[in-house]
Every structure is written in C-alpha cells, then in structure tokens.
C-alpha cells in the first residue's frame, strides 16, 4: 500500500527553484486527481522561455544594445580571480578531496545583520556579498574583486512557476581600497547586483563578442537563498 517516487534530475535541467516548483506541482496533481479536478496548464514552459530569450539577444533594438554594452563596459578580463595566499601551499600530488564548512549563525546575530543591512539601505544578500568581497580583498590584496554571483533568472512573474534551469552565475565586480568606508563597498555591491540582474539576459551575447578576449570563469562564487527569492 506504499509507493515511493524517485526523481533524478541532471544539473542541466533543474535548479533549486525548479525543485521547489516540481514538488508543488506533484502535490497539486495528486490533490487534483483525488478530487477529480484538472491541474493547471497555463505555466510558462522552458521552450517558451528559450524562444523568448533567443528573440531578446537577436533583437537589434536599443534595449538589446544597452544590455550588451553594459557587459562589455565592465572590462571583466581586467579582474582576475583573487589569488588566495594558501592556494600555493597545496602539494601538486595531493589527492582531490573537496570539503565543506558549515557555520550556523544564531538568531541575535542574524537580527543584527538584518538591522545593519537595513541601516545601509541594502538587502541581506547585498550585505553578505560586500562582506565576502571585502574578505577576498584582505586575503588577496587585489583592488578589483570579481566573483560569480548566483541569480535565479526569474525576474519576470511568468517564470516563477516554470520548470527548468533558469539560475545562472554572473560576474559581480567592485573596487576596494584601504581608505574606503564599508558603506561604499556596500553601495558598489548593491549597484553591481542590480545592474547584473537587469541585464542578465545579454551576458552570454556580450561575452561571445568581447573582441576576441575570453571573460574569465571566476572560481570564487557567492550564492544566497532566502525564502527562494534569489
């Protein structure tokens, strides 16, 4: 009398938001079947999204030109990946052994982070990104700090319930100097995230035409998820 549903999805077909949507859709289907009702079928499909995105990058209008121009102006090739001091301490013949570090923040510290972020007029995600980039600056000594930040790719309401791989990593770059105040770092992080989110559909097109130079794939990344909002 028991049934187990096993779902195996390649990374190229789903992101974290899709997993949430899939669970909700399965639940909705079971509920509908139990009550003899039909499941909703007006959700945007990934095929529709792909066709729409192709139309965007192929369009020769002011919006497309502005999006492509934004990414090309970032001059991402000038911001190499942060050179961390401990990377050269690993012996060449060391076996690859990935590991994770988990740190749980208590409720009072979480509340303080939210309060400080609110005081500076930034989101918690922007605040933590600014902290992360500041730490990378201190460790590397490099003024230009670029990391790959994860965006959910669903800034339009029609995509909120769609299934597919919409999330993508986009370079977010800021400039840090010793005499700068942390508020300036946060301002840069907020603006960089906002601009990257606004023009995210045009990143690949701009990258492919950046005068023969390849945009580096930054191995240092940043991902923040709060209530599946990003």
């Amino acid at each position: 009398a028991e049934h187990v549903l096993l779902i195996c999805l390649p990374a190229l077909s789903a992101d974290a938001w899709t997993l949430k949507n899939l669970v909700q859709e399965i639940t909705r289907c079971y509920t509908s079947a139990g009550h003899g009702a039909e499941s909703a079928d007006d959700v945007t499909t990934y095929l529709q999204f792909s066709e729409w995105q192709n139309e965007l990058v192929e369009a020769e209008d002011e919006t497309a030109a502005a999006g492509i121009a934004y990414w090309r102006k970032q001059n991402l090739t000038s911001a190499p990946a942060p050179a961390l001091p401990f990377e050269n301490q690993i012996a060449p013949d060391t076996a690859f052994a990935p590991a994770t570090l988990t740190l749980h923040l208590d409720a009072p510290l979480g509340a303080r982070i939210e309060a400080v972020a609110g005081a500076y007029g930034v989101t918690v995600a922007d605040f933590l990104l600014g902290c992360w980039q500041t730490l990378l600056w201190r460790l590397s000594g490099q003024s230009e700090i670029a990391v790959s930040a994860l965006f959910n790719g669903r800034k339009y309401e029609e995509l909120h319930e769609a299934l597919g791989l919409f999330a993508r990593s986009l370079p977010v770059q800021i400039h840090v100097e010793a005499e700068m105040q942390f508020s300036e770092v946060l301002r840069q992080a907020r603006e960089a995230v906002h601009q990257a989110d606004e023009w995210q559909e045009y990143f690949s097109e701009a990258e492919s035409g950046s005068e023969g130079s390849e945009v580096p794939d930054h191995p240092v990344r940043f991902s923040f998820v709060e209530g599946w909002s990003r």
Side-chain angles (χ1 to χ4, degrees):
E2 293 185 358
H3 297 80
V4 177
L5 175 63
L6 177 63
I7 301 176
C8 181
L9 296 173
L12 287 176
S13 69
D15 51 28
W17 192 307
T18 285
L19 298 181
K20 173 186 71 76
N21 286 349
L22 182 59
V23 171
Q24 292 179 344
E25 179 65 15
I26 292 174
T27 302
R28 186 161 51 237
C29 288
Y30 271 106
T31 302
S32 299
H35 293 81
E38 294 184 359
S39 179
D41 57 358
D42 57 349
V43 177
T44 301
T45 66
Y46 195 81
L47 177 59
Q48 292 171 316
F49 166 76
S50 299
E51 293 175 345
W52 168 75
Q53 194 170 47
N54 287 335
E55 293 174 358
L56 276 182
V57 298
E58 293 173 359
E60 296 182 359
D61 54 26
E62 294 182 0
T63 302
I68 295 174
Y70 167 77
W71 288 112
R72 291 183 179 172
K73 285 193 303 183
Q74 298 310 300
N75 194 20
L76 296 170
T77 55
S78 67
L84 303 178
F86 46 79
E87 288 183 314
N88 294 330
Q89 299 177 10
I90 303 176
D93 57 348
T94 302
F96 180 63
T100 60
L101 174 63
T102 302
L103 176 65
H104 296 280
L105 306 182
D106 56 33
L109 180 56
R112 287 174 57 193
I113 291 176
E114 292 180 352
V116 174
Y120 283 113
V122 300
T123 66
V124 172
D126 296 337
F127 176 82
L128 294 177
L129 174 60
C131 293
W132 181 229
Q133 290 176 304
T134 301
L135 174 62
L136 293 173
W137 165 71
R138 289 183 179 275
L139 292 175
S140 66
Q142 299 171 213
S143 295
E144 301 296 329
I145 301 296
V147 301
S148 291
L150 186 67
F151 292 79
N152 61 42
R154 300 171 188 261
K155 64 179 183 179
Y156 301 106
E157 185 177 354
E158 295 84 354
L159 302 177
H160 286 183
E161 296 187 11
L163 304 179
L165 179 60
F166 295 88
R168 61 189 308 176
S169 293
L170 299 173
V172 175
Q173 180 176 338
I174 68 170
H175 181 82
V176 185
E177 295 287 351
E179 62 275 9
M180 290 174 57
Q181 294 186 348
F182 186 57
S183 58
E184 172 61 18
V185 173
L186 293 182
R187 184 192 64 78
Q188 289 189 60
R190 178 188 60 198
E191 293 182 357
V193 168
H194 175 76
Q195 293 293 327
D197 182 59
E198 181 178 0
W199 302 114
Q200 59 180 288
E201 293 89 358
Y202 302 98
F203 173 67
S204 298
E205 183 73 8
E207 178 184 359
S208 64
S210 54
E211 300 180 357
S213 59
E214 296 184 359
V215 175
D217 180 22
H218 296 285
V220 181
R221 300 180 179 266
F222 175 83
S223 175
F224 180 83
V225 178
E226 181 182 27
W228 303 95
S229 61
R230 175 171 294 175

